[in-house]
Every structure is written in structure tokens, then in C-alpha cells.
């Protein structure tokens, strides 16, 4: 079924030499023509008939029909009026005429060309210059009507305006990134990059694709995109922003030392630009948290807050909100951390920026578990885990799984805790995430201890310590667990160096476990008086800090 009569199609077939008349009543395929290709033959005839029909249409009808065909989806009269640079009444009259001629039809979403074959024929019949002009007009109209910038970008590219198309793809990709539609953001960024855009636009597209890939667990590809973006930039403020992003990525997933160095470069590149310098200082302060350099972190945050307030920068401010919440956690103030993380999880800040860091709700669930509220904490973590899986964010999924393993172990669900920790370790290894690899094996060790599997527990703790070699926070945490485990196994000589390494750790959250491990070491050495004193001091500190999961065991060691 097409908008052409049988007579028109037969005439087109005859003109292209496909059929010939046999007497007065029958049409036959010419010799050498295959009936098997009938569909192709008829489609070609329809295209020819369309060309003949279009040639006889008024120019106004032809223009609107061409716009409809190139748009390829239902169109409202307002959009067609904007694209045809005429008023809506004229467009409505034109559409009515096209409808009466069977060339276009209205529907619930708008007007369309009456048949797909005819739409293809209309686009084929347009002259190249006419096609390019129509695409350009559609792109302008789509922008005026607030349509998806990706659709406008495709028409700009089809019209030959590659530079404007790349800019539109950048806006579209950023929009998808903010909606946490990372695969679509990466695809749109790739479409823009394929147009060989100017350096600054290229850098913006690479930055978007790098962030989409980072959240999708493609960490090596993300680093490559951020590094390529830097190579395309000569503006110091823009370079500083990308350096800050790359610094957080490296510090959190691969090499904390390199991450810290990149943050310093970002600060230097920013110069006296308040927004860029504020963002770079905030990123550096976040990296300082994991290094345990709280004094420098606080100084940098104070400077960053003043600069970002002056610049009115909400993205950088989101980093500060995150820093304040995690400073409570890293600072060992778990009750304050639970409250701050809850507020951060519900604040209308840039969700994408928070995702560059930790998941605040999963971190809060872990804090609640330490506070002796493991059931509540597990619910928080599971909620975030379900979201991470739906969003296909493997780094957040791995984080939730290792935090979940520790909460489950506290609740006595050892088998499920082991499964959760193993899943976390598998994901972290696959995406190359150093922090979560260390954390997952620590969680696995805790779960195996709870299940009464000492051999597996020791292996997991040693693996955690090895993975955390360059990460002070997780290294001290792993050392405390391994030291306490070896002490309880009656191996004080092996436990001692790990316990003292944990005690030397500079991050406050690791201190309760380090003090507990020290008490376990003293008990295994048979020094009851020193053990009771150390355990009593550790007990008081754990209760003050809110690290309540250790309280029952410390009570035993203190003889209370």
C-alpha cells in the first residue's frame, strides 16, 4: 500500500524498462528480469513515481513534505512552521492538502509521511543542496522548540555543519551524563568526536566520555580520555579542571601518589582563577583524607570554600559537602558521619559529582554497622546496591558489596557475607580498582573468620594488605585485622609487626581496630595486666568514637 495509484506505479515500471506490454491487456517482465527481485523492482518504481509526483506539487507542499521525510518521526505543526520559516496557519493548510492527496497523515504524536517507502522516495528525490538546507532548518527549529540536542546535532551533521553538530553532541552527552545514562552519554560523545571537532570541543567530548567510562568501570579507557582531553587544551583553568578529575580517579582506583601529584598540578594550573582553583583544592583535600593528612586537607577546604563561594560554583561545592561528610568518617566521628552522609545523600547537589567519589548512602550504611546498628546499615547498603546494579556502575556495586559483607558478618550471616565479599573482589579486580580490591579482601577475611575458616581468613587478610600497599588508610585497616587474627591464633611473633604497623597508621578510623589488635597481641603474649589496661583504654575510646562493634570483645579483654 502506497500513496500512488496502480497506474502510476505501472507507468514508472514501464519507463524504467522493467515491464513491457503484451497486447492490450497484460504487462510482463522483460526478458532477463527476475521475479525474485520483484520487491526491489517495485520499490524503485515507487521512488520514480514519487519523483514524478513531487515535481508536480506546489513548492510549499514540497518543502513541508521534505521536512517531514528528513525528520523521520511525527512532527507537530509548530515545529514545521519554525523549520519552513512560515506561519502556523499556512503550515496547517499545507498539511491539510498533503493529507487530502494521501501524501501525509496526522497521528497522536504529530504528522508523518504516509508511507515509509514514500518517505524514502521523497528524501531520494531532494537535490543535495535542498537536503542540506532542510537539515539546517530542522536543526534550528528543533533548538527553538527545546528538543533533544542530540536530534538537533544529527541534523546539523547531516547538513554539513560539523563544528556546530559537535557542540550540540557535547550538550546532549552532558545531559545524559547528569541523568546517569552513561552508555548513551558515551555514545553521543563518540558521535561528536567522529566529526573531528576543534580542540576545545574535542576536549569537552573526551571529558564527558571519560567520566561515562569511569562510572561504567572502564578505568583504563577513562584515563586515556582524560589524558587526551588535557592534550587538546591550552586554557589553564580548563586543564586544571581535568587534572582534578584525573587526580581523583587515580588516587581512588590505582595510584594515590600519582593522584596527589596530579592534584598539585591542578592547583598550579588553576593560577588565580577562583572556580578552577577551588575545584582543584577540593579534589586535593579529598585525596588528603585517604592519606591521613587531615591538617592540610582542612586548610585546603577552607581556601576552596572561600573561592567557590566567590565563583558561585555548585559542582565544586558538591565536593566540599562530600569532604565534610567523609572528614567525619575518616576523622573517626562515626555518629557525626552518619548524620552528614544522610544529609549529603538527600541534598539536590550534582549526583554525577558525588558519584565521582564514594556513595554517601553506602558509606552511611557502613558507619551504622560500626555504630552497632548493622541491620539498619545493611538496608542502606542494599538500597544503594540495587541502584548501582540498575545503573550499571560496577565501582559503586563493588563498594556496596564489600561494605555489605562486613555488615552481614556482624549480623552472623557468614555464608552470605563470604559470597558478597567474593563478588566485590571479582568486580574490583576486573575493573582495576585498587582501593576496593583491598577492602573486598578485608571484608572476605572478616566473613571467613565469622564462618570459622581460619585458613581462608588469613589468606584474604594477606591479600588485602598486599593490595593496600600504596593506600595508607586500607593498609592500616588490613594490618590491624591480620595482626589481631594472628594473635588470636596464638602466633604473637607473626602478629607483632602487623599490629605495630596498624598502630602507626595516621587515619583515625583505623585506630580503634589497631588498639583492639594491640590488646589481642598482649593477651596472646600472656601479659594479662598490660592487656587489660590496653583493652580498657581501647574500650573507652571505641565508645567515645562510636566504634561499638568492638565493645563486646574489648569488655572481655578488659576483664569487665
Amino acid at each position: 500500500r502506497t500513496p500512488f495509484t496502480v497506474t502510476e506505479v505501472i507507468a514508472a515500471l514501464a519507463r524504467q524498462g522493467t515491464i513491457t506490454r503484451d497486447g492490450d491487456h497484460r504487462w510482463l517482465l522483460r526478458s532477463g528480469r527476475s521475479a525474485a527481485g520483484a520487491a526491489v523492482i517495485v520499490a524503485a518504481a515507487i521512488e520514480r513515481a514519487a519523483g514524478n509526483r513531487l515535481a508536480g506539487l506546489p513548492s510549499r507542499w514540497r518543502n513541508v513534505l521534505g521536512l517531514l521525510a528528513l525528520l523521520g518521526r511525527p512532527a507537530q505543526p509548530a515545529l514545521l512552521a519554525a523549520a519552513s520559516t512560515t506561519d502556523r496557519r499556512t503550515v496547517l493548510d499545507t498539511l491539510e492538502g498533503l493529507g487530502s492527496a494521501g501524501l501525509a497523515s496526522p497521528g497522536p504524536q504529530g504528522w508523518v509521511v504516509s508511507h515509509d517507502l514514500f518517505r524514502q522516495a521523497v528524501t531520494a528525490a531532494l537535490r543535495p543542496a535542498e537536503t542540506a538546507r532542510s537539515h539546517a532548518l530542522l536543526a534550528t527549529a528543533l533548538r527553538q522548540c527545546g528538543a533533544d540536542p542530540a536530534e538537533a546535532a544529527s541534523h546539523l551533521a547531516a547538513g554539513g555543519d560539523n563544528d556546530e553538530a559537535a557542540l550540540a553532541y557535547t550538550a546532549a552527552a552532558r545531559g545524559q551524563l547528569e541523568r546517569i545514562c552513561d552508555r548513551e552519554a558515551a555514545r553521543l560523545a563518540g558521535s561528536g568526536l567522529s566529526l573531528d571537532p576543534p580542540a576545545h570541543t574535542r576536549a569537552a567530548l573526551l571529558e564527558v566520555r571519560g567520566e561515562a567510562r569511569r562510572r561504567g568501570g572502564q578505568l583504563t579507557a577513562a584515563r586515556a580520555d582524560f589524558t587526551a582531553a588535557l592534550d587538546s587544551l591550552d586554557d589553564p583553568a580548563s586543564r586544571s579542571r581535568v587534572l582534578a578529575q584525573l587526580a581523583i580517579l587515580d588516587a581512588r582506583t590505582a595510584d594515590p601518589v600519582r593522584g596527589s601529584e596530579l592534584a598539585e598540578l591542578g592547583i598550579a594550573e588553576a593560577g588565580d582563577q577562583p572556580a578552577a582553583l577551588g575545584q582543584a583544592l577540593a579534589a586535593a583535600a579529598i585525596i588528603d583524607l585517604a592519606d591521613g593528612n587531615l591538617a592540610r586537607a582542612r586548610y585546603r577546604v577552607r581556601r576552596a570554600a572561600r573561592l567557590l563561594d566567590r565563583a558561585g560554583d555548585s559542582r565544586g561545592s558538591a565536593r566540599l559537602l562530600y569532604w565534610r561528610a567523609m572528614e567525619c568518617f575518616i576523622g573517626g566521628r562515626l555518629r557525626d558521619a552518619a548524620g552528614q552522609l544522610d544529609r549529603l545523600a538527600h541534598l539536590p547537589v550534582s549526583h554525577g559529582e558525588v558519584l565521582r567519589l564514594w556513595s554517601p548512602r553506602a558509606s552511611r550504611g557502613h558507619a551504622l554497622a560500626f555504630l552497632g546498628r548493622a541491620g539498619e546499615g545493611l538496608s542502606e547498603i542494599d538500597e544503594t546496591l540495587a541502584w548501582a546494579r540498575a545503573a550499571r556502575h560496577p565501582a559503586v556495586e563493588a563498594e556496596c558489596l564489600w561494605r555489605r559483607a562486613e555488615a552481614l558478618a556482624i549480623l552472623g550471616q557468614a555464608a552470605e557475607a563470604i559470597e558478597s565479599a567474593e563478588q566485590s573482589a571479582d568486580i574490583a579486580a576486573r575493573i582495576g580498582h585498587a582501593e576496593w580490591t583491598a577492602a573486598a579482601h578485608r571484608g572476605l577475611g572478616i566473613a571467613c573468620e565469622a564462618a570459622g575458616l581460619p585458613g581462608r581468613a588469613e589468606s584474604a587478610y594477606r591479600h588485602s594488605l598486599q593490595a593496600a600497599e600504596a593506600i595508607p588508610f586500607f593498609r592500616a585497616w588490613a594490618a590491624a585485622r591480620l595482626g589481631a587474627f594472628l594473635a588470636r591464633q596464638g602466633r604473637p611473633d607473626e602478629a607483632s609487626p602487623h599490629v605495630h604497623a596498624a598502630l602507626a597508621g595516621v587515619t583515625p578510623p583505623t585506630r580503634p581496630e589497631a588498639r583492639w589488635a594491640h590488646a589481642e597481641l598482649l593477651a596472646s603474649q600472656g601479659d594479662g595486666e598490660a592487656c587489660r589496661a590496653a583493652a580498657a583504654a581501647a574500650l573507652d575510646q571505641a565508645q567515645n568514637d562510636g566504634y561499638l562493634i568492638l565493645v563486646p570483645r574489648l569488655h572481655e579483654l578488659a576483664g569487665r
Side-chain angles (χ1 to χ4, degrees):
R1 297 181 59 187
T2 74
F4 303 104
T5 65
V6 172
T7 301
E8 285 179 300
V9 175
I10 287 175
L13 288 166
R15 279 193 295 270
Q16 70 187 28
T18 302
I19 60 174
T20 183
R21 187 183 290 275
D22 177 22
D24 294 330
H25 304 292
R26 293 188 303 173
W27 289 91
L28 302 175
L29 284 171
R30 281 188 177 274
S31 177
R33 301 287 184 173
S34 168
V40 176
I41 292 168
V42 171
I46 290 172
E47 184 175 318
R48 190 179 186 94
N52 294 332
R53 178 77 73 86
L54 288 170
L57 292 177
S59 60
R60 186 172 67 249
W61 287 27
R62 179 187 172 93
N63 289 342
V64 171
L65 198 58
L67 292 169
L68 271 177
L70 291 174
L71 189 63
R73 65 164 177 83
Q76 294 292 327
L79 175 62
L80 294 170
S84 60
T85 63
T86 187
D87 60 272
R88 188 179 300 193
R89 186 180 189 86
T90 301
V91 166
L92 287 170
D93 291 342
T94 301
L95 290 169
E96 184 180 2
L98 290 170
S100 298
L103 302 177
S105 57
Q109 304 298 319
W111 284 79
V112 294
V113 177
S114 56
H115 193 280
D116 281 344
L117 280 175
F118 183 45
R119 182 178 63 79
Q120 296 166 17
V122 171
T123 56
L126 295 173
R127 300 185 305 276
E130 192 176 11
T131 299
R133 177 177 177 276
S134 296
H135 278 300
L137 289 170
L138 281 169
T140 300
L142 287 164
R143 285 172 155 179
Q144 290 174 356
C145 295
D148 181 358
E151 188 177 17
S154 68
H155 287 289
L156 286 165
D161 194 346
N162 284 2
D163 289 356
E164 279 297 310
L167 283 173
Y169 274 123
T170 304
R174 281 175 175 158
Q176 293 298 326
L177 197 66
E178 286 301 314
R179 296 182 188 96
I180 322 297
C181 300
D182 300 325
R183 291 191 174 190
E184 181 63 8
R187 186 190 70 78
L188 291 170
S191 296
L193 289 166
S194 71
L195 300 174
D196 193 22
H200 198 274
T201 306
R202 172 180 167 77
L205 289 162
L206 285 165
E207 188 179 345
V208 171
R209 190 173 71 178
E211 177 60 8
R213 285 175 162 176
R214 184 197 68 79
R215 295 197 318 217
Q218 299 171 274
L219 303 184
T220 301
R223 285 190 191 91
D225 277 344
F226 285 132
T227 303
L230 280 173
D231 292 340
S232 297
L233 289 170
D234 54 16
D235 170 47
S238 298
R239 285 180 56 81
S240 174
R241 186 190 65 251
V242 177
L243 279 165
Q245 292 172 329
L246 191 55
I248 293 172
L249 171 61
D250 271 13
R252 297 300 320 285
T253 64
D255 187 343
V257 174
R258 175 175 162 79
S260 185
E261 291 170 350
L262 288 169
E264 295 289 349
L265 286 175
I267 292 170
E269 286 270 15
D272 59 356
Q273 297 293 315
L277 183 55
Q279 287 190 22
L281 285 165
I286 288 166
I287 294 168
D288 283 341
L289 282 180
D291 288 341
N293 197 337
L294 299 184
R296 185 173 67 179
R298 291 185 183 108
Y299 166 72
R300 284 173 164 172
V301 162
R302 286 194 295 270
R303 283 189 66 198
R306 290 193 297 270
L307 290 163
L308 293 170
D309 183 61
R310 189 198 317 169
D313 187 295
S314 63
R315 186 171 295 274
S317 297
R319 290 181 184 174
L320 293 182
L321 291 169
Y322 166 81
W323 184 91
R324 291 189 183 104
M326 290 310 300
E327 189 268 341
C328 293
F329 191 95
I330 297 295
R333 303 190 308 279
L334 294 178
R335 294 182 182 87
D336 291 342
Q340 290 276 6
L341 288 164
D342 188 48
R343 283 191 286 276
L344 179 59
H346 289 96
L347 280 173
V349 297
S350 167
H351 199 41
E353 187 60 25
V354 172
L355 280 173
R356 187 182 303 284
L357 311 164
W358 280 292
S359 165
R361 185 157 296 284
S363 299
R364 181 174 189 269
H366 203 189
L368 290 174
F370 289 152
L371 286 163
R373 297 156 59 188
E376 292 177 59
L378 183 62
S379 295
E380 298 265 326
I381 295 166
D382 280 345
E383 181 182 330
T384 310
L385 176 60
W387 175 88
R389 284 173 168 164
R392 297 179 180 178
H393 281 185
V396 180
E397 183 180 357
E399 176 190 0
C400 291
L401 286 165
W402 74 258
R403 295 190 191 276
R404 181 174 186 269
E406 294 199 17
L408 286 166
I410 293 168
L411 292 168
Q413 300 175 40
E416 193 176 349
I418 290 172
E419 182 182 0
S420 190
E422 287 176 336
Q423 289 175 5
S424 178
D426 288 344
I427 295 170
R430 173 169 56 81
I431 66 177
H433 200 301
E435 282 192 1
W436 293 167
T437 297
H441 284 282
R442 170 192 143 90
L444 180 58
I446 292 170
C448 288
E449 269 202 272
L453 301 170
R456 287 193 64 188
E458 180 177 348
S459 175
Y461 287 140
R462 292 190 182 281
H463 199 147
S464 176
L465 193 59
Q466 181 182 12
E469 183 178 357
I471 311 167
F473 178 80
F474 287 100
R475 185 174 66 238
W477 237 2
R481 282 287 172 170
L482 178 58
F485 169 81
L486 292 171
R488 289 196 306 278
Q489 292 290 306
R491 297 153 64 184
D493 291 343
E494 293 178 63
S496 182
H498 299 299
V499 170
H500 287 98
L503 287 169
V506 293
T507 50
T510 66
R511 290 173 188 162
E513 293 202 2
R515 295 187 185 104
W516 158 61
H518 186 220
E520 295 281 8
L521 174 63
L522 292 169
S524 71
Q525 291 172 333
D527 193 341
E529 184 177 348
C531 170
R532 286 189 292 274
L539 175 61
D540 291 342
Q541 193 63 57
Q543 289 174 325
N544 288 336
D545 292 343
Y547 216 98
L548 303 184
I549 57 167
L550 296 177
V551 166
R553 177 57 179 163
L554 288 171
H555 265 296
E556 292 178 25
L557 292 169
R560 294 183 181 178

